[in-house]
Amino acid sequence: MSRKESKSPTFDRIVEASLQLFNQQGERSVTTNHIARYLNISTGNLYYHFACKEDIINELYRRYSKGMADYLNAAGELSVNASIEGLVSLLEKVLRHLWTFRFIPQSISSLFSVNQSLQESYSKIEAGLISRGVEKLFFKLRDQGMLEGDDVQIGFLARNFQLLQTGWIARPDIARCPQEAQVVAREGCLSLLYFLAPYVSSRFRQPFERVLASMAPVQALPAV
Amino acid sequence: MSRKESKSPTFDRIVEASLQLFNQQGERSVTTNHIARYLNISTGNLYYHFACKEDIINELYRRYSKGMADYLNAAGELSVNASIEGLVSLLEKVLRHLWTFRFIPQSISSLFSVNQSLQESYSKIEAGLISRGVEKLFFKLRDQGMLEGDDVQIGFLARNFQLLQTGWIARPDIARCPQEAQVVAREGCLSLLYFLAPYVSSRFRQPFERVLASMAPVQALPAV
Amino acid sequence: MSRKESKSPTFDRIVEASLQLFNQQGERSVTTNHIARYLNISTGNLYYHFACKEDIINELYRRYSKGMADYLNAAGELSVNASIEGLVSLLEKVLRHLWTFRFIPQSISSLFSVNQSLQESYSKIEAGLISRGVEKLFFKLRDQGMLEGDDVQIGFLARNFQLLQTGWIARPDIARCPQEAQVVAREGCLSLLYFLAPYVSSRFRQPFERVLASMAPVQALPAV
Amino acid sequence: MSRKESKSPTFDRIVEASLQLFNQQGERSVTTNHIARYLNISTGNLYYHFACKEDIINELYRRYSKGMADYLNAAGELSVNASIEGLVSLLEKVLRHLWTFRFIPQSISSLFSVNQSLQESYSKIEAGLISRGVEKLFFKLRDQGMLEGDDVQIGFLARNFQLLQTGWIARPDIARCPQEAQVVAREGCLSLLYFLAPYVSSRFRQPFERVLASMAPVQALPAV
DNA sequence: AATGAATGAGTATTCATTCAT
DNA sequence: TATGAATGAATACTCATTCAT
């Protein structure tokens, strides 16, 4: 995918079917036999493309975290010509991405007990790169005048933001329901914007309120 | 326990051992044989007390959610003579409680796929009673002058607060580490206070800042 | 068996059925399912008694090598009142023992590639204890006047003796044939006696020839 | 090879790679995929040249037994102008040949259970032709005055000799070790010479002892 | 209450072999 | 000749659960 335009059609079909089944029924109760039968291929063929179930999950995690990293980069560039609309649009994309891979935030902890390599990837990527990237991004947004707050506040803001973001997607009550990505992203976005609201600078308050109003037309944003 | 004076010593030992093992190694990789061996009892005996593994988990969930409900009630009474110190102290207790049952917030979604009844309990209790209880509590805190914000804001605040609370405990990077409950609770509490900060009324700002300072002595709480 | 009068009837039945099947069909083509089905027990039950197939083999190897060690001890004591008849009778017992566990000398090398722990046991026991024991025994027999030869000769004699002993049992042409143990032991014994003949002292030559004649009545033992 | 000028380069490469891998890791744990990957060819290509894995083994057995037969013929001619040196040199060549194909004596019995046709070849060739050939050879050596003994003795000598020869190569403790062929052949040769020693005629005793001394310089050959 | 042997449907995985290109 | 994706029966092993005592 990244380097050589994808390994093979079957490889990709396995990855995509697994993602779908994992999201629907939970990784735990989706066996390699299920995946193969779902695709009308033999287990032998599945194992021709993947050495083990772990590797399918790892490939999914790779795609998931690569997407997150890409959005983070996009966010870095976006903030050059900072606009609330741009930020919100990106945030929705991120939430849709998270929703696409929702089995990951949902079951990441319980995956650790059966997939050691995933734990390592996670430490490096999620808890490392991405976490730090989000922090940097928030400080940049402050530098550009979009956010206000001292270092400690912005630090907590960044960390809590991530927790809320994945926590929203991992919410057990919505997880398996076949909600539309659009709806989940919208509502999640609204929650996150309300979370950010107190830190939005006065200069950006007006467009911020406008966006908020456009998402949930009834209520205006009250001053804190 | 409270009403029926506990079923039997063995029953309780099974529940407690399971909790410990689930937290340490993840529910998924703890078998009923592990639990029995850990307690030096036979599997037959374990199944004399519990019809199935699910029931052990359900009993743990019952205790977990009962604890949460109790703390919620305590919060309701506390708010009569509202004090920041009281709130913080209760928050720490809740976080310690969550930490004690941390395998639940960590793996709740993935448990659903193998435990249908748990999903039902969850909808009723967590997403129902408790969720509504927290919302009521936050409105009460506003009525008592501790928090400020309009209905929509307080609504989002309550919901996000819960997400953050469990999200903090379920963080995969701390989950299996043998952190001390005290440390986890402290840091989580700090995160949550920073989350609430913008909504604390001016009347309570001083004690709030005092408490915050006492928890992380170096930094004062800056105005938004 | 050795310490606590055997673990359980089923444990022993598994060991014995495995031995029989391994001898008949070769360890390689006898699966744990075969063994269970042969005994009319479930695979689960088989795995209740043995953690893995390797452990069945290891237990068989344990019994095999324990038997060999016991016979070696018996040989040590026997040689106190040295007699050709006693030696021959013991040799027949050893050959019958080897024949009972014939799948081991037959497939030991190819077992190594799938059973690391067996290789370790083998180095310690077979190539260590037993090999040295046989050497000591042969030197003792010389001291008692039954054998003649210098140290180098007796050393080679001992080593070649062992090679012949197991080589005879492992002979691929007789291995799977349902020969009677008695016949195999007889013929093997004869081969081994002819191998030893040149080193039998003149003092023991007469009884030696008598025994030889009794086993293969037609031919007398010619002088070298 | 000799008659049909070899089937194809790939055919031969497969045979040779298989031999190497079988010797190193044991036939049992070398899959057809391993062989193909080792040669950088596709499995399909491997199966273009061989109908099944068995056939590779059969071809190796063919080469192995052909070599043995050739050496046996050479021995027949050699004995015309009988010399101890010539015999020893040939014996070393045979041992090196056996070492080259060592996976065969090591696993021949266990191969039978998965390769019926091999069992048939073996009965015809090894247990038939070669066995009888060796017997004839030994009688010839006696006729030429190199060996002494009656018919029964020489018969047992021939049979035991073969058992020792392959037994030495198949010894599980040296099998997988990357010993040099030269060393193995030397030591094996010495063992076999000591085995023959008692039957060497007085006329050939002197050159025999000379050769023995040259191989293990320290010790002279003691009279029996 | 308690034991521990027994069950059996499942689970990931392997590997000789086939087949379309 | 050669490729490499695809097959599928087999294999070792697991684990929640049952049952006779």
Side-chain angles (χ1 to χ4, degrees):
Chain A
M1 201 184 195
S2 56
R3 26 197 104 177
K4 288 175 189 279
E5 83 237 22
S6 123
K7 302 217 173 188
S8 96
T10 306
F11 182 95
D12 284 335
R13 286 177 65 221
I14 293 169
V15 174
E16 281 148 25
S18 301
L19 176 58
Q20 197 173 323
L21 294 173
F22 289 167
N23 280 338
Q24 274 166 21
Q25 307 167 32
E27 176 275 336
R28 188 177 182 172
S29 48
V30 173
T31 73
T32 48
N33 285 325
H34 291 344
I35 300 167
R37 214 171 304 143
Y38 178 80
L39 286 172
N40 278 318
I41 64 173
S42 63
T43 57
N45 194 13
L46 187 147
Y47 277 91
Y48 177 77
H49 292 283
F50 290 91
C52 56
K53 193 186 174 191
E54 266 194 54
D55 281 1
I56 303 179
I57 296 167
N58 291 341
E59 171 66 15
L60 281 166
Y61 184 73
R62 206 185 59 75
R63 296 185 181 196
Y64 159 77
S65 61
K66 180 165 187 318
M68 292 300 279
D70 288 348
Y71 285 123
L72 204 57
N73 288 339
E77 287 164 23
L78 161 126
S79 59
V80 177
N81 56 338
S83 91
I84 293 289
E85 284 83 1
L87 191 71
V88 169
S89 140
L90 186 62
L91 182 51
E92 281 198 332
K93 278 182 200 149
V94 170
L95 284 166
R96 273 202 293 272
H97 180 72
L98 275 162
W99 179 251
T100 305
F101 290 90
R102 62 191 173 280
F103 90 93
I104 290 176
Q106 270 163 42
S107 47
I108 186 86
S109 320
S110 56
L111 277 171
F112 283 180
S113 59
V114 287
N115 187 337
Q116 177 61 27
S117 60
L118 188 62
Q119 187 156 11
E120 286 160 18
S121 302
Y122 182 86
S123 307
K124 263 185 250 163
I125 296 172
E126 190 93 5
L129 285 181
I130 294 180
S131 213
R132 259 191 292 281
V134 172
E135 206 173 27
K136 268 189 208 160
L137 174 65
F138 273 69
F139 279 110
K140 206 184 237 174
L141 291 174
R142 182 183 62 175
D143 294 345
Q144 294 177 339
M146 193 181 274
L147 297 180
E148 279 174 355
D150 66 21
D151 287 6
V152 178
Q153 284 176 313
I154 298 296
F156 274 104
L157 196 69
R159 208 165 55 169
N160 282 341
F161 181 84
Q162 286 178 85
L163 241 44
L164 268 184
Q165 201 175 235
T166 54
W168 170 267
I169 294 298
R171 273 170 56 201
D173 46 335
I174 60 156
R176 218 83 81 209
C177 306
Q179 301 271 341
E180 286 179 40
Q182 196 56 33
V183 175
V184 174
R186 270 293 148 117
E187 291 192 21
C189 197
L190 204 58
S191 266
L192 286 167
L193 291 178
Y194 268 97
F195 167 71
L196 293 179
Y199 299 87
V200 171
S201 71
S202 48
R203 184 150 69 88
F204 280 82
R205 180 140 304 243
Q206 245 184 9
F208 185 83
E209 286 191 16
R210 212 183 317 123
V211 167
L212 214 57
S214 77
M215 297 183 73
V218 209
Q219 299 110 350
L221 176 75
V224 178
Chain B
M1 205 177 195
S2 57
R3 43 195 92 174
K4 290 171 192 283
E5 78 229 32
S6 128
K7 302 218 172 186
S8 96
T10 305
F11 181 96
D12 283 336
R13 288 178 64 223
I14 293 169
V15 174
E16 281 148 25
S18 301
L19 176 58
Q20 199 171 322
L21 294 172
F22 289 167
N23 280 339
Q24 274 167 18
Q25 307 167 31
E27 177 273 338
R28 188 175 182 171
S29 47
V30 173
T31 72
T32 47
N33 279 319
H34 289 348
I35 299 167
R37 214 171 306 143
Y38 180 79
L39 286 171
N40 279 320
I41 66 173
S42 64
T43 50
N45 194 10
L46 186 147
Y47 276 88
Y48 177 81
H49 291 283
F50 289 91
C52 57
K53 195 187 174 191
E54 270 191 51
D55 282 1
I56 303 179
I57 297 167
N58 291 341
E59 171 64 17
L60 281 166
Y61 184 74
R62 206 187 57 76
R63 296 186 180 196
Y64 159 78
S65 58
K66 178 157 188 327
M68 291 300 280
D70 288 349
Y71 285 121
L72 205 56
N73 289 340
E77 285 164 24
L78 161 125
S79 60
V80 177
N81 57 339
S83 92
I84 293 290
E85 284 82 1
L87 189 71
V88 168
S89 140
L90 185 62
L91 183 50
E92 281 198 333
K93 277 180 203 150
V94 171
L95 283 167
R96 273 203 292 271
H97 180 70
L98 274 163
W99 180 250
T100 305
F101 290 88
R102 61 191 173 280
F103 90 94
I104 292 177
Q106 269 164 44
S107 47
I108 185 84
S109 324
S110 52
L111 278 171
F112 284 178
S113 60
V114 286
N115 189 337
Q116 178 61 27
S117 60
L118 187 62
Q119 187 157 10
E120 285 158 19
S121 304
Y122 181 87
S123 307
K124 266 186 248 162
I125 297 170
E126 189 94 6
L129 285 182
I130 294 179
S131 210
R132 261 190 293 281
V134 173
E135 205 173 27
K136 269 188 208 161
L137 174 65
F138 273 68
F139 280 110
K140 205 183 240 174
L141 290 174
R142 183 182 62 175
D143 295 347
Q144 293 178 339
M146 193 181 274
L147 296 180
E148 281 175 354
D150 65 21
D151 286 6
V152 178
Q153 283 176 314
I154 297 296
F156 276 106
L157 197 69
R159 206 164 55 169
N160 283 341
F161 181 85
Q162 285 180 88
L163 240 45
L164 268 182
Q165 201 174 235
T166 53
W168 170 266
I169 294 297
R171 273 171 54 201
D173 46 334
I174 60 155
R176 218 83 81 213
C177 306
Q179 303 271 342
E180 286 178 40
Q182 196 56 34
V183 175
V184 174
R186 269 291 149 119
E187 293 191 21
C189 198
L190 203 59
S191 266
L192 287 166
L193 292 179
Y194 268 97
F195 167 71
L196 294 179
Y199 300 86
V200 172
S201 70
S202 48
R203 183 148 69 86
F204 281 83
R205 181 139 302 239
Q206 244 183 11
F208 185 82
E209 286 190 17
R210 211 182 319 121
V211 167
L212 214 58
S214 78
M215 297 184 74
V218 209
Q219 300 110 351
L221 177 76
V224 178
Chain C
M1 198 179 198
S2 57
R3 24 198 106 174
K4 288 175 188 279
E5 84 237 22
S6 121
K7 302 217 172 188
S8 95
T10 305
F11 181 95
D12 284 335
R13 286 178 65 222
I14 293 169
V15 174
E16 281 148 25
S18 301
L19 177 58
Q20 197 174 322
L21 294 173
F22 289 166
N23 280 338
Q24 273 167 20
Q25 307 167 32
E27 176 274 338
R28 187 176 184 173
S29 47
V30 174
T31 73
T32 49
N33 285 325
H34 291 344
I35 300 167
R37 216 170 303 143
Y38 179 80
L39 287 171
N40 278 321
I41 65 172
S42 63
T43 56
N45 194 10
L46 186 148
Y47 278 92
Y48 177 78
H49 292 283
F50 289 91
C52 55
K53 194 187 173 188
E54 267 193 53
D55 282 2
I56 302 179
I57 296 167
N58 291 341
E59 171 65 16
L60 281 166
Y61 184 74
R62 206 186 58 76
R63 296 186 179 194
Y64 159 77
S65 59
K66 180 162 186 321
M68 292 300 279
D70 287 349
Y71 284 123
L72 204 57
N73 288 339
E77 286 164 24
L78 161 126
S79 59
V80 176
N81 57 338
S83 91
I84 293 289
E85 284 83 1
L87 190 70
V88 168
S89 139
L90 185 61
L91 183 50
E92 281 199 334
K93 277 181 201 147
V94 171
L95 284 167
R96 273 203 291 273
H97 180 71
L98 274 162
W99 179 251
T100 306
F101 290 90
R102 62 192 174 281
F103 90 94
I104 291 177
Q106 270 163 42
S107 48
I108 186 87
S109 321
S110 55
L111 277 170
F112 283 179
S113 60
V114 288
N115 188 337
Q116 176 61 27
S117 59
L118 188 63
Q119 187 157 10
E120 286 159 18
S121 302
Y122 182 86
S123 306
K124 263 185 251 162
I125 297 171
E126 190 94 6
L129 284 181
I130 293 179
S131 212
R132 258 190 293 281
V134 172
E135 206 174 27
K136 268 189 209 161
L137 175 64
F138 273 69
F139 279 110
K140 207 183 236 174
L141 291 174
R142 184 183 61 175
D143 294 346
Q144 293 177 341
M146 192 179 277
L147 296 181
E148 279 174 355
D150 66 20
D151 287 6
V152 178
Q153 284 176 314
I154 298 295
F156 275 103
L157 197 69
R159 206 163 56 167
N160 283 340
F161 181 84
Q162 284 179 88
L163 242 42
L164 268 184
Q165 200 175 237
T166 53
W168 170 267
I169 294 297
R171 272 172 54 203
D173 47 334
I174 58 155
R176 218 83 79 211
C177 306
Q179 302 272 342
E180 283 179 43
Q182 197 56 35
V183 175
V184 174
R186 270 291 150 120
E187 292 192 20
C189 199
L190 204 58
S191 267
L192 286 166
L193 291 179
Y194 269 97
F195 167 71
L196 293 178
Y199 299 88
V200 172
S201 71
S202 49
R203 182 149 70 89
F204 280 83
R205 183 141 300 244
Q206 245 184 12
F208 185 82
E209 287 190 16
R210 210 183 318 121
V211 167
L212 215 57
S214 78
M215 298 182 73
V218 208
Q219 300 109 351
L221 176 75
V224 178
Chain D
M1 201 176 197
S2 56
R3 42 195 94 176
K4 290 170 190 283
E5 81 229 30
S6 128
K7 302 218 173 187
S8 96
T10 305
F11 182 96
D12 283 335
R13 287 178 64 222
I14 292 169
V15 174
E16 281 148 24
S18 300
L19 176 58
Q20 199 172 321
L21 294 173
F22 289 167
N23 280 338
Q24 274 167 19
Q25 307 167 31
E27 177 274 338
R28 188 175 183 172
S29 48
V30 173
T31 71
T32 47
N33 280 319
H34 289 347
I35 299 167
R37 215 174 303 143
Y38 180 80
L39 287 171
N40 278 321
I41 65 172
S42 64
T43 50
N45 194 10
L46 188 148
Y47 275 89
Y48 177 81
H49 291 284
F50 289 91
C52 57
K53 195 187 175 190
E54 270 192 51
D55 282 2
I56 303 179
I57 296 166
N58 291 339
E59 170 65 18
L60 281 166
Y61 183 73
R62 206 186 57 75
R63 296 184 181 197
Y64 159 77
S65 58
K66 178 160 189 321
M68 291 300 279
D70 288 349
Y71 284 122
L72 205 57
N73 288 339
E77 287 164 24
L78 162 126
S79 58
V80 176
N81 57 336
S83 91
I84 294 289
E85 284 83 1
L87 190 71
V88 168
S89 141
L90 186 62
L91 183 49
E92 281 198 335
K93 278 181 201 147
V94 171
L95 284 166
R96 272 202 292 272
H97 180 71
L98 275 162
W99 180 251
T100 305
F101 290 88
R102 62 191 172 281
F103 89 94
I104 291 176
Q106 268 163 44
S107 47
I108 186 83
S109 325
S110 54
L111 277 171
F112 284 179
S113 60
V114 286
N115 189 336
Q116 177 62 27
S117 59
L118 188 62
Q119 187 156 10
E120 286 158 18
S121 304
Y122 182 87
S123 307
K124 266 186 248 160
I125 297 171
E126 190 94 6
L129 286 181
I130 293 179
S131 212
R132 259 191 293 282
V134 172
E135 206 172 25
K136 269 189 208 160
L137 174 66
F138 273 69
F139 279 111
K140 205 182 242 175
L141 291 174
R142 183 182 60 176
D143 295 345
Q144 294 177 340
M146 194 181 274
L147 297 180
E148 281 174 353
D150 64 22
D151 287 6
V152 178
Q153 283 175 313
I154 298 296
F156 275 105
L157 196 68
R159 206 164 56 169
N160 282 343
F161 182 83
Q162 284 179 89
L163 241 44
L164 267 184
Q165 201 174 235
T166 53
W168 169 267
I169 293 296
R171 273 169 55 202
D173 45 335
I174 60 154
R176 219 82 81 209
C177 305
Q179 302 272 343
E180 287 179 38
Q182 196 57 33
V183 175
V184 174
R186 269 291 150 119
E187 292 192 19
C189 198
L190 204 58
S191 267
L192 287 166
L193 291 179
Y194 267 97
F195 168 71
L196 294 178
Y199 299 88
V200 172
S201 70
S202 48
R203 182 148 69 87
F204 281 82
R205 182 141 300 245
Q206 241 182 13
F208 186 83
E209 287 191 15
R210 211 181 321 121
V211 167
L212 214 58
S214 77
M215 298 183 73
V218 208
Q219 298 110 352
L221 177 75
V224 179

